[in-house]
Coordinates of all heavy atoms in Angstrom, one line a residue:
M1 N -1.1 14.1 16.3 CA -0.4 12.9 16.0 C 1.1 13.0 16.4 O 1.7 14.0 16.2 CB -0.5 12.5 14.5 CG 0.2 11.2 14.2 SD 0.3 10.8 12.4 CE -1.3 10.9 11.9
D2 N 1.6 12.0 17.0 CA 3.0 12.0 17.4 C 3.9 12.2 16.2 O 3.6 11.6 15.1 CB 3.3 10.6 18.1 CG 4.7 10.6 18.6 OD1 5.6 10.3 17.8 OD2 4.8 10.7 19.8
K3 N 4.9 13.0 16.3 CA 5.8 13.2 15.1 C 6.5 12.0 14.7 O 6.8 11.8 13.5 CB 6.8 14.4 15.4 CG 7.8 14.1 16.4 CD 8.7 15.3 16.6 CE 9.7 15.0 17.7 NZ 10.6 16.1 17.9
Y4 N 6.8 11.1 15.6 CA 7.5 9.8 15.2 C 6.6 8.9 14.4 O 7.0 8.3 13.4 CB 8.1 9.1 16.4 CG 9.2 9.9 17.1 CD1 8.9 10.4 18.3 CD2 10.4 10.1 16.5 CE1 9.9 11.2 19.0 CE2 11.4 10.8 17.1 CZ 11.1 11.4 18.3 OH 12.1 12.1 19.0
L5 N 5.3 8.9 14.8 CA 4.3 8.1 14.1 C 4.1 8.7 12.7 O 4.1 8.0 11.7 CB 3.0 8.1 14.8 CG 1.8 7.4 14.1 CD1 2.2 5.9 13.9 CD2 0.6 7.5 15.0
F6 N 4.0 10.0 12.6 CA 3.8 10.7 11.3 C 5.0 10.4 10.3 O 4.8 10.0 9.2 CB 3.8 12.2 11.5 CG 3.7 13.0 10.2 CD1 2.6 13.1 9.5 CD2 4.9 13.6 9.7 CE1 2.5 13.8 8.3 CE2 4.9 14.3 8.5 CZ 3.7 14.4 7.8
F7 N 6.2 10.5 10.8 CA 7.4 10.3 9.9 C 7.5 8.8 9.6 O 7.9 8.4 8.5 CB 8.7 10.8 10.5 CG 8.7 12.3 10.4 CD1 8.7 13.1 11.6 CD2 8.8 12.9 9.2 CE1 8.7 14.5 11.5 CE2 8.9 14.3 9.1 CZ 8.8 15.1 10.2
T8 N 7.1 7.9 10.5 CA 7.1 6.5 10.2 C 6.1 6.2 9.1 O 6.5 5.4 8.2 CB 6.8 5.7 11.5 OG1 7.8 5.9 12.5 CG2 6.8 4.2 11.2
L9 N 4.9 6.7 9.2 CA 3.9 6.5 8.2 C 4.3 7.1 6.9 O 4.1 6.5 5.8 CB 2.5 7.0 8.7 CG 1.8 6.2 9.7 CD1 0.6 6.9 10.2 CD2 1.5 4.8 9.2
L10 N 4.9 8.2 6.9 CA 5.4 8.9 5.7 C 6.5 8.0 5.0 O 6.4 7.8 3.8 CB 6.0 10.3 6.0 CG 6.5 11.1 4.8 CD1 5.4 11.4 3.8 CD2 7.2 12.3 5.3
L11 N 7.4 7.5 5.8 CA 8.4 6.6 5.2 C 7.8 5.3 4.7 O 8.2 4.9 3.6 CB 9.5 6.3 6.3 CG 10.6 5.4 5.9 CD1 11.5 6.1 4.9 CD2 11.4 5.0 7.1
I12 N 6.9 4.7 5.4 CA 6.2 3.5 4.9 C 5.5 3.8 3.5 O 5.6 3.0 2.6 CB 5.3 2.9 5.9 CG1 6.1 2.4 7.1 CG2 4.4 1.8 5.3 CD1 5.2 2.0 8.3
N13 N 4.8 4.9 3.4 CA 4.1 5.3 2.2 C 5.0 5.6 1.1 O 4.7 5.2 -0.1 CB 3.1 6.4 2.5 CG 1.9 5.9 3.1 OD1 1.0 5.4 2.4 ND2 1.7 6.1 4.4
V14 N 6.2 6.2 1.3 CA 7.2 6.4 0.3 C 7.7 5.1 -0.2 O 7.8 4.9 -1.4 CB 8.3 7.4 0.8 CG1 9.4 7.4 -0.2 CG2 7.7 8.8 1.0
L15 N 8.0 4.2 0.7 CA 8.5 2.9 0.4 C 7.5 2.1 -0.4 O 7.8 1.6 -1.5 CB 8.8 2.1 1.7 CG 9.2 0.6 1.5 CD1 10.5 0.5 0.7 CD2 9.2 -0.1 2.8
S16 N 6.2 2.2 0.0 CA 5.2 1.5 -0.7 C 5.0 2.0 -2.1 O 4.9 1.3 -3.1 CB 3.9 1.7 0.0 OG 2.8 1.1 -0.6
F17 N 5.0 3.3 -2.3 CA 4.9 4.0 -3.6 C 6.0 3.5 -4.5 O 5.7 3.1 -5.7 CB 5.0 5.5 -3.4 CG 4.8 6.2 -4.7 CD1 3.6 6.6 -5.2 CD2 5.9 6.6 -5.5 CE1 3.4 7.3 -6.4 CE2 5.8 7.3 -6.7 CZ 4.5 7.6 -7.1
F18 N 7.3 3.5 -4.0 CA 8.4 3.1 -4.9 C 8.4 1.5 -5.2 O 8.8 1.1 -6.2 CB 9.7 3.6 -4.4 CG 9.9 5.0 -4.7 CD1 9.8 6.0 -3.7 CD2 10.1 5.5 -6.0 CE1 9.9 7.3 -3.9 CE2 10.2 6.8 -6.2 CZ 10.1 7.8 -5.2
L19 N 7.9 0.7 -4.2 CA 7.9 -0.7 -4.5 C 6.9 -1.0 -5.6 O 7.2 -1.8 -6.5 CB 7.4 -1.5 -3.2 CG 8.5 -1.7 -2.2 CD1 7.9 -2.3 -0.9 CD2 9.7 -2.4 -2.7
F20 N 5.7 -0.3 -5.6 CA 4.8 -0.5 -6.7 C 5.4 0.0 -8.0 O 5.2 -0.6 -9.1 CB 3.5 0.2 -6.4 CG 2.5 -0.6 -5.6 CD1 2.6 -0.7 -4.2 CD2 1.5 -1.3 -6.2 CE1 1.8 -1.5 -3.5 CE2 0.6 -2.1 -5.5 CZ 0.7 -2.1 -4.1
K21 N 6.1 1.1 -8.0 CA 6.7 1.7 -9.2 C 7.8 0.7 -9.7 O 7.8 0.5 -10.9 CB 7.4 3.0 -8.9 CG 8.1 3.7 -10.0 CD 8.7 5.0 -9.7 CE 9.4 5.6 -10.9 NZ 10.1 6.8 -10.5
I22 N 8.6 0.2 -8.9 CA 9.6 -0.8 -9.3 C 9.0 -2.0 -9.9 O 9.5 -2.5 -10.9 CB 10.6 -1.1 -8.1 CG1 11.4 0.1 -7.7 CG2 11.5 -2.3 -8.4 CD1 12.1 0.0 -6.4
D23 N 8.0 -2.5 -9.2 CA 7.3 -3.7 -9.7 C 6.7 -3.5 -11.1 O 6.8 -4.3 -12.0 CB 6.2 -4.2 -8.8 CG 5.7 -5.6 -9.1 OD1 6.5 -6.5 -9.4 OD2 4.4 -5.7 -9.2
K24 N 6.2 -2.3 -11.3 CA 5.6 -2.0 -12.7 C 6.7 -1.9 -13.7 O 6.6 -2.5 -14.8 CB 4.9 -0.6 -12.6 CG 4.4 -0.1 -14.0 CD 3.4 -1.0 -14.6 CE 2.8 -0.4 -15.8 NZ 1.6 -1.0 -16.3
K25 N 7.8 -1.3 -13.3 CA 9.0 -1.2 -14.3 C 9.5 -2.6 -14.6 O 9.8 -2.9 -15.7 CB 10.1 -0.3 -13.7 CG 11.3 -0.2 -14.6 CD 12.3 0.7 -13.9 CE 13.6 0.8 -14.8 NZ 14.7 1.5 -14.2
N26 N 9.7 -3.4 -13.5 CA 10.2 -4.8 -13.7 C 9.2 -5.6 -14.6 O 9.7 -6.5 -15.4 CB 10.4 -5.5 -12.4 CG 11.7 -4.9 -11.7 OD1 12.4 -4.1 -12.3 ND2 11.9 -5.3 -10.5
S27 N 7.9 -5.4 -14.5 CA 7.0 -6.1 -15.3 C 7.1 -5.8 -16.7 O 6.9 -6.6 -17.6 CB 5.5 -5.9 -14.8 OG 5.1 -4.6 -15.1
I28 N 7.4 -4.5 -17.0 CA 7.6 -4.1 -18.4 C 8.8 -4.6 -19.0 O 8.8 -5.1 -20.2 CB 7.6 -2.5 -18.5 CG1 6.2 -2.0 -18.1 CG2 8.0 -2.0 -19.8 CD1 6.1 -0.5 -17.9
I29 N 9.9 -4.6 -18.3 CA 11.2 -5.1 -18.9 C 11.5 -6.5 -18.7 O 12.6 -7.0 -19.1 CB 12.4 -4.2 -18.4 CG1 12.6 -4.3 -16.9 CG2 12.2 -2.7 -18.8 CD1 13.8 -3.5 -16.3
G30 N 10.6 -7.2 -18.0 CA 10.8 -8.7 -17.9 C 11.7 -9.1 -16.7 O 12.2 -10.2 -16.8
K31 N 12.0 -8.2 -15.8 CA 12.8 -8.6 -14.7 C 12.0 -9.2 -13.5 O 10.8 -9.2 -13.6 CB 13.5 -7.3 -14.1 CG 14.7 -6.9 -15.0 CD 15.4 -5.7 -14.3 CE 16.9 -5.9 -14.3 NZ 17.5 -4.9 -13.6
R32 N 12.8 -9.7 -12.5 CA 12.1 -10.3 -11.4 C 11.2 -9.3 -10.7 O 11.5 -8.2 -10.4 CB 13.2 -10.8 -10.4 CG 12.6 -11.5 -9.2 CD 13.8 -12.0 -8.3 NE 13.3 -12.5 -7.1 CZ 13.1 -13.8 -6.8 NH1 13.4 -14.7 -7.7 NH2 12.6 -14.2 -5.6
R33 N 10.0 -9.8 -10.3 CA 8.9 -9.0 -9.8 C 8.9 -9.0 -8.3 O 9.5 -9.9 -7.6 CB 7.6 -9.5 -10.3 CG 7.4 -9.6 -11.8 CD 7.1 -8.3 -12.4 NE 5.9 -7.7 -11.9 CZ 4.7 -7.9 -12.3 NH1 4.5 -8.8 -13.3 NH2 3.6 -7.3 -11.8
I34 N 8.3 -8.0 -7.7 CA 8.1 -8.0 -6.2 C 6.8 -8.8 -6.0 O 5.8 -8.6 -6.7 CB 7.9 -6.5 -5.7 CG1 9.3 -5.8 -6.0 CG2 7.6 -6.5 -4.3 CD1 9.2 -4.3 -5.8
S35 N 6.8 -9.6 -5.0 CA 5.7 -10.5 -4.8 C 4.4 -9.7 -4.3 O 4.6 -8.6 -3.7 CB 6.0 -11.6 -3.7 OG 6.1 -11.0 -2.4
E36 N 3.3 -10.2 -4.6 CA 2.0 -9.6 -4.2 C 2.0 -9.6 -2.7 O 1.4 -8.7 -2.1 CB 0.8 -10.3 -4.7 CG 0.5 -10.0 -6.2 CD -0.8 -10.4 -6.6 OE1 -1.6 -11.0 -5.8 OE2 -1.1 -10.3 -7.8
L37 N 2.5 -10.6 -2.0 CA 2.6 -10.7 -0.6 C 3.3 -9.5 0.0 O 2.9 -8.9 0.9 CB 3.2 -12.0 -0.1 CG 3.3 -12.2 1.4 CD1 1.9 -12.2 2.0 CD2 4.0 -13.5 1.7
A38 N 4.5 -9.2 -0.6 CA 5.2 -8.0 -0.1 C 4.5 -6.7 -0.4 O 4.5 -5.8 0.5 CB 6.6 -8.0 -0.8
L39 N 3.9 -6.6 -1.5 CA 3.1 -5.4 -1.8 C 1.9 -5.2 -0.9 O 1.6 -4.1 -0.4 CB 2.6 -5.4 -3.3 CG 3.7 -5.3 -4.3 CD1 3.1 -5.5 -5.7 CD2 4.5 -4.1 -4.3
C40 N 1.2 -6.3 -0.6 CA 0.1 -6.3 0.4 C 0.6 -6.0 1.8 O 0.0 -5.3 2.5 CB -0.7 -7.6 0.3 SG -1.7 -7.7 -1.1
F41 N 1.7 -6.6 2.2 CA 2.3 -6.4 3.5 C 2.6 -4.9 3.8 O 2.2 -4.3 4.8 CB 3.5 -7.2 3.8 CG 4.1 -7.0 5.1 CD1 3.4 -7.6 6.3 CD2 5.2 -6.3 5.3 CE1 3.9 -7.4 7.5 CE2 5.8 -6.1 6.6 CZ 5.1 -6.7 7.7
V42 N 3.3 -4.3 2.8 CA 3.7 -2.9 3.0 C 2.4 -2.0 3.0 O 2.4 -1.0 3.7 CB 4.7 -2.4 2.0 CG1 4.1 -2.2 0.6 CG2 5.4 -1.2 2.4
T43 N 1.4 -2.4 2.3 CA 0.1 -1.7 2.3 C -0.5 -1.9 3.7 O -1.0 -0.9 4.3 CB -0.8 -2.2 1.2 OG1 -0.2 -2.1 0.0 CG2 -2.2 -1.4 1.2
L44 N -0.5 -3.1 4.2 CA -1.1 -3.4 5.5 C -0.5 -2.6 6.7 O -1.2 -2.2 7.6 CB -1.1 -4.9 5.8 CG -1.6 -5.4 7.1 CD1 -3.2 -5.2 7.1 CD2 -1.3 -6.9 7.3
I45 N 0.8 -2.5 6.7 CA 1.5 -1.8 7.8 C 1.4 -0.3 7.7 O 2.1 0.3 8.6 CB 2.9 -2.3 8.0 CG1 3.8 -2.0 6.7 CG2 3.0 -3.8 8.2 CD1 5.3 -2.2 6.9
G46 N 0.7 0.2 6.8 CA 0.5 1.7 6.8 C 0.8 2.3 5.5 O 0.6 3.6 5.4
G47 N 1.1 1.6 4.4 CA 1.4 2.2 3.2 C 0.3 2.3 2.2 O 0.5 2.4 1.0
T48 N -0.9 2.4 2.7 CA -2.1 2.4 1.9 C -2.1 3.6 0.9 O -2.4 3.4 -0.3 CB -3.4 2.4 2.7 OG1 -3.3 1.3 3.6 CG2 -4.6 2.3 1.9
I49 N -1.9 4.7 1.4 CA -1.9 5.9 0.5 C -0.9 5.8 -0.6 O -1.2 6.1 -1.8 CB -1.7 7.2 1.3 CG1 -3.0 7.4 2.3 CG2 -1.6 8.4 0.4 CD1 -2.8 8.5 3.3
G50 N 0.4 5.4 -0.2 CA 1.4 5.3 -1.2 C 1.1 4.2 -2.3 O 1.3 4.4 -3.4
S51 N 0.5 3.1 -1.8 CA 0.1 2.0 -2.7 C -0.9 2.5 -3.7 O -0.8 2.3 -4.9 CB -0.4 0.8 -1.9 OG 0.6 0.3 -1.1
L52 N -2.0 3.1 -3.2 CA -3.1 3.5 -4.0 C -2.6 4.6 -5.0 O -3.0 4.6 -6.2 CB -4.3 4.0 -3.2 CG -4.9 2.9 -2.3 CD1 -6.0 3.6 -1.4 CD2 -5.5 1.8 -3.2
M53 N -1.8 5.5 -4.5 CA -1.3 6.6 -5.5 C -0.5 5.9 -6.6 O -0.6 6.3 -7.7 CB -0.5 7.6 -4.7 CG -1.3 8.5 -3.8 SD -0.3 9.7 -2.9 CE 0.7 10.5 -4.1
S54 N 0.4 5.0 -6.2 CA 1.3 4.4 -7.2 C 0.5 3.6 -8.2 O 0.8 3.6 -9.4 CB 2.4 3.6 -6.5 OG 3.4 3.3 -7.4
M55 N -0.5 2.9 -7.7 CA -1.4 2.0 -8.5 C -2.0 2.9 -9.6 O -2.2 2.5 -10.8 CB -2.4 1.3 -7.7 CG -1.8 0.1 -6.9 SD -3.0 -0.6 -5.8 CE -4.2 -1.4 -7.0
Q56 N -2.5 4.1 -9.2 CA -3.2 5.0 -10.1 C -2.2 5.7 -11.1 O -2.5 5.7 -12.3 CB -4.0 6.0 -9.3 CG -5.2 5.4 -8.6 CD -6.2 4.7 -9.6 OE1 -6.6 5.3 -10.6 NE2 -6.5 3.5 -9.3
I57 N -1.2 6.2 -10.5 CA -0.2 6.9 -11.4 C 0.4 6.0 -12.4 O 0.5 6.4 -13.6 CB 0.9 7.6 -10.5 CG1 0.3 8.7 -9.7 CG2 2.0 8.1 -11.4 CD1 1.2 9.3 -8.6
Y58 N 0.8 4.8 -12.0 CA 1.5 3.9 -13.0 C 0.6 2.9 -13.6 O 1.0 2.0 -14.4 CB 2.7 3.2 -12.3 CG 3.7 4.2 -11.8 CD1 3.8 4.5 -10.4 CD2 4.5 5.0 -12.7 CE1 4.7 5.5 -10.0 CE2 5.4 5.9 -12.2 CZ 5.5 6.2 -10.9 OH 6.4 7.1 -10.5
R59 N -0.7 2.9 -13.3 CA -1.7 2.0 -13.8 C -1.2 0.6 -13.6 O -1.2 -0.3 -14.5 CB -2.0 2.3 -15.2 CG -2.6 3.6 -15.5 CD -3.3 3.7 -16.8 NE -3.6 5.0 -17.3 CZ -4.2 6.0 -16.7 NH1 -4.7 5.8 -15.5 NH2 -4.5 7.1 -17.3
H60 N -0.8 0.3 -12.3 CA -0.2 -1.0 -12.0 C -1.2 -1.8 -11.1 O -1.7 -1.4 -10.1 CB 1.1 -0.8 -11.3 CG 1.8 -2.1 -11.0 ND1 2.1 -3.0 -12.1 CD2 2.4 -2.6 -10.0 CE1 2.7 -4.0 -11.6 NE2 3.0 -3.8 -10.3
K61 N -1.5 -3.0 -11.6 CA -2.4 -4.0 -10.9 C -3.8 -3.5 -10.8 O -4.6 -3.9 -10.0 CB -1.8 -4.4 -9.5 CG -0.5 -5.1 -9.6 CD -0.3 -6.0 -8.5 CE 0.9 -6.8 -8.6 NZ 0.8 -8.0 -9.3
T62 N -4.2 -2.5 -11.6 CA -5.5 -2.0 -11.5 C -6.6 -2.8 -12.3 O -7.8 -2.7 -12.1 CB -5.6 -0.5 -12.1 OG1 -5.1 -0.6 -13.5 CG2 -4.8 0.4 -11.3
R63 N -6.1 -3.8 -13.1 CA -7.0 -4.7 -13.8 C -7.1 -6.0 -13.1 O -7.9 -6.9 -13.5 CB -6.6 -4.9 -15.2 CG -6.7 -3.6 -16.0 CD -6.3 -3.9 -17.5 NE -6.3 -2.7 -18.2 CZ -6.0 -2.6 -19.5 NH1 -5.6 -3.7 -20.1 NH2 -6.0 -1.5 -20.1
K64 N -6.2 -6.3 -12.1 CA -6.2 -7.6 -11.5 C -7.2 -7.6 -10.3 O -6.9 -7.1 -9.2 CB -4.8 -7.9 -11.0 CG -4.6 -9.3 -10.6 CD -3.2 -9.7 -10.4 CE -3.1 -11.2 -10.1 NZ -1.7 -11.6 -9.8
K65 N -8.3 -8.1 -10.5 CA -9.4 -8.1 -9.6 C -9.1 -8.7 -8.2 O -9.5 -8.3 -7.2 CB -10.7 -8.7 -10.1 CG -11.2 -7.8 -11.3 CD -12.5 -8.3 -11.8 CE -12.9 -7.5 -13.0 NZ -14.2 -7.4 -13.3
S66 N -8.3 -9.8 -8.3 CA -8.0 -10.5 -7.0 C -7.1 -9.6 -6.2 O -7.2 -9.6 -5.0 CB -7.3 -11.9 -7.3 OG -6.1 -11.7 -8.0
F67 N -6.2 -8.9 -6.8 CA -5.3 -8.0 -6.1 C -6.1 -6.8 -5.5 O -5.9 -6.4 -4.4 CB -4.1 -7.5 -6.9 CG -3.1 -6.7 -6.2 CD1 -2.2 -7.4 -5.4 CD2 -3.1 -5.3 -6.2 CE1 -1.3 -6.7 -4.6 CE2 -2.2 -4.6 -5.5 CZ -1.3 -5.3 -4.7
I68 N -7.0 -6.2 -6.3 CA -7.8 -5.1 -5.9 C -8.6 -5.5 -4.7 O -8.8 -4.8 -3.7 CB -8.7 -4.6 -7.0 CG1 -7.9 -4.1 -8.2 CG2 -9.7 -3.6 -6.5 CD1 -7.2 -2.8 -7.9
F69 N -9.2 -6.8 -4.7 CA -9.9 -7.3 -3.6 C -9.1 -7.4 -2.3 O -9.5 -7.0 -1.2 CB -10.5 -8.7 -3.9 CG -11.3 -9.3 -2.8 CD1 -12.6 -8.8 -2.6 CD2 -10.8 -10.3 -2.1 CE1 -13.4 -9.3 -1.5 CE2 -11.6 -10.9 -1.1 CZ -12.9 -10.4 -0.8
K70 N -7.8 -7.8 -2.4 CA -6.9 -7.9 -1.3 C -6.7 -6.5 -0.7 O -6.7 -6.3 0.5 CB -5.6 -8.6 -1.7 CG -5.7 -10.0 -2.0 CD -4.4 -10.5 -2.6 CE -4.6 -11.9 -3.2 NZ -3.4 -12.4 -3.9
I71 N -6.5 -5.6 -1.6 CA -6.2 -4.2 -1.1 C -7.5 -3.6 -0.4 O -7.4 -3.0 0.6 CB -5.8 -3.3 -2.3 CG1 -4.4 -3.7 -2.9 CG2 -5.7 -1.8 -1.9 CD1 -3.2 -3.6 -1.9
L72 N -8.6 -3.9 -1.0 CA -9.9 -3.4 -0.3 C -10.1 -4.1 1.0 O -10.5 -3.4 2.0 CB -11.1 -3.7 -1.2 CG -11.1 -2.8 -2.5 CD1 -12.3 -3.3 -3.4 CD2 -11.3 -1.4 -2.1
I73 N -9.7 -5.3 1.2 CA -9.8 -6.0 2.5 C -8.9 -5.3 3.5 O -9.2 -5.1 4.6 CB -9.5 -7.5 2.4 CG1 -10.6 -8.2 1.6 CG2 -9.3 -8.1 3.7 CD1 -12.0 -8.2 2.2
I74 N -7.7 -5.0 3.0 CA -6.7 -4.3 3.9 C -7.2 -3.0 4.3 O -7.1 -2.6 5.5 CB -5.3 -4.2 3.2 CG1 -4.7 -5.6 3.1 CG2 -4.4 -3.2 3.9 CD1 -3.5 -5.6 2.2
V75 N -7.8 -2.2 3.4 CA -8.3 -0.9 3.7 C -9.5 -1.0 4.7 O -9.5 -0.3 5.7 CB -8.8 -0.1 2.5 CG1 -9.5 1.1 2.8 CG2 -7.6 0.2 1.6
A76 N -10.3 -2.0 4.5 CA -11.4 -2.2 5.5 C -10.9 -2.6 6.9 O -11.4 -2.1 7.9 CB -12.3 -3.4 5.0
I77 N -9.9 -3.4 7.0 CA -9.3 -3.7 8.3 C -8.7 -2.5 8.9 O -8.9 -2.3 10.1 CB -8.2 -4.8 8.1 CG1 -8.8 -6.2 7.7 CG2 -7.3 -5.0 9.3 CD1 -7.9 -7.2 7.2
Q78 N -8.0 -1.7 8.1 CA -7.4 -0.5 8.7 C -8.5 0.5 9.2 O -8.4 1.1 10.2 CB -6.5 0.2 7.6 CG -5.3 -0.6 7.4 CD -4.5 0.0 6.2 OE1 -5.0 0.7 5.3 NE2 -3.2 -0.3 6.2
V79 N -9.6 0.7 8.4 CA -10.7 1.5 8.8 C -11.3 1.0 10.1 O -11.6 1.8 11.0 CB -11.7 1.7 7.7 CG1 -13.0 2.3 8.2 CG2 -11.1 2.5 6.5
L80 N -11.5 -0.3 10.2 CA -12.0 -0.9 11.4 C -11.1 -0.6 12.6 O -11.6 -0.3 13.7 CB -12.3 -2.4 11.2 CG -12.9 -3.1 12.4 CD1 -14.3 -2.6 12.6 CD2 -13.0 -4.6 12.1
I81 N -9.8 -0.8 12.5 CA -8.9 -0.6 13.6 C -8.9 0.9 14.0 O -9.0 1.2 15.2 CB -7.5 -1.0 13.1 CG1 -7.4 -2.6 13.0 CG2 -6.4 -0.5 14.1 CD1 -6.1 -3.1 12.4
I82 N -8.9 1.8 13.0 CA -8.9 3.2 13.4 C -10.2 3.6 14.1 O -10.2 4.3 15.1 CB -8.7 4.1 12.1 CG1 -7.3 3.9 11.6 CG2 -9.0 5.6 12.4 CD1 -7.0 4.5 10.2
W83 N -11.3 3.0 13.6 CA -12.6 3.3 14.2 C -12.6 2.8 15.7 O -13.1 3.5 16.5 CB -13.7 2.6 13.4 CG -15.1 2.8 13.9 CD1 -15.8 4.0 14.1 CD2 -16.0 1.8 14.4 NE1 -17.0 3.8 14.6 CE2 -17.2 2.4 14.8 CE3 -15.9 0.4 14.5 CZ2 -18.2 1.7 15.3 CZ3 -16.9 -0.3 15.0 CH2 -18.1 0.4 15.4
K84 N -12.1 1.6 15.9 CA -12.1 1.1 17.3 C -11.1 1.9 18.1 O -11.5 2.1 19.3 CB -11.6 -0.4 17.2 CG -12.6 -1.4 16.7 CD -13.8 -1.4 17.7 CE -14.8 -2.5 17.2 NZ -15.9 -2.6 18.1
L85 N -10.0 2.3 17.6 CA -9.1 3.2 18.4 C -9.7 4.5 18.8 O -9.5 5.0 19.9 CB -7.8 3.4 17.6 CG -6.9 2.2 17.5 CD1 -5.7 2.5 16.6 CD2 -6.4 1.7 18.9
I86 N -10.5 5.1 17.9 CA -11.1 6.3 18.1 C -12.2 6.1 19.2 O -12.4 7.0 20.1 CB -11.8 6.9 16.9 CG1 -10.6 7.4 15.9 CG2 -12.7 8.1 17.2 CD1 -11.1 7.8 14.6
Q87 N -12.9 5.0 19.2 CA -14.0 4.7 20.2 C -13.4 4.6 21.6 O -14.0 5.1 22.5 CB -14.7 3.4 19.9 CG -15.8 3.5 18.9 CD -16.5 2.2 18.8 OE1 -16.0 1.2 18.9 NE2 -17.8 2.4 18.5
Y88 N -12.2 4.1 21.7 CA -11.6 3.8 23.0 C -10.7 4.9 23.5 O -10.1 4.8 24.5 CB -10.9 2.5 23.0 CG -11.8 1.3 22.9 CD1 -11.8 0.5 21.8 CD2 -12.8 1.0 23.9 CE1 -12.7 -0.5 21.6 CE2 -13.7 0.0 23.8 CZ -13.6 -0.8 22.6 OH -14.5 -1.8 22.5
A89 N -10.5 6.0 22.6 CA -9.6 7.1 23.0 C -10.3 8.1 24.0 O -11.4 8.2 24.1 CB -9.2 7.8 21.8

C-alpha cells in the first residue's frame, strides 16, 4: 500500500474516532451535536475503523438502529468497492 494512502486513511480514522467521541461528549453535556450526515460522511471516505472503534468504546449511537443500518450500508459499499478493485488489479 502506498505510504500516502496509508497515512491519509490513518488520519481519516483518527478524525472519525474523535468526531464520534466529541459527539458523545456533546450529547451528555447538552451542547451542539455533530450531524449524522457528517459522521456518516467521514465513515464513508475511509473512517470506518475509527468510527466503529469509537462507537464501541464510548457506546455512542449503538442503540440507534437507523444509524447502525446506515453504517452497515457504508461498510457494504466499501467491501464491494474493494472487492471490485481487487478483481481488476
Side-chain angles (χ1 to χ4, degrees):
M1 180 188 305
D2 184 283
K3 67 180 178 179
Y4 296 109
L5 177 60
F6 173 78
F7 285 112
T8 300
L9 286 173
L10 180 64
L11 180 65
I12 292 169
N13 278 283
V14 169
L15 173 68
S16 177
F17 183 88
F18 283 107
L19 284 176
F20 274 81
K21 179 182 179 182
I22 291 166
D23 189 50
K24 174 66 174 193
K25 181 181 176 186
N26 287 353
S27 73
I28 292 170
I29 62 176
K31 284 184 129 183
R32 185 177 169 100
R33 305 281 302 276
I34 297 170
S35 72
E36 281 192 7
L37 180 63
L39 295 174
C40 285
F41 179 74
V42 76
T43 303
L44 179 66
I45 63 170
T48 305
I49 294 170
S51 297
L52 295 173
M53 285 177 56
S54 195
M55 286 173 70
Q56 290 302 308
I57 290 170
Y58 300 108
R59 300 198 194 304
H60 188 49
K61 296 208 176 274
T62 55
R63 293 184 186 175
K64 191 166 184 187
K65 292 182 186 207
S66 64
F67 187 78
I68 298 292
F69 181 72
K70 291 172 192 171
I71 296 296
L72 290 174
I73 293 297
I74 289 170
V75 170
I77 290 168
Q78 290 172 337
V79 168
L80 183 63
I81 289 170
I82 292 169
W83 179 63
K84 287 292 185 182
L85 287 173
I86 289 171
Q87 277 188 328
Y88 293 112

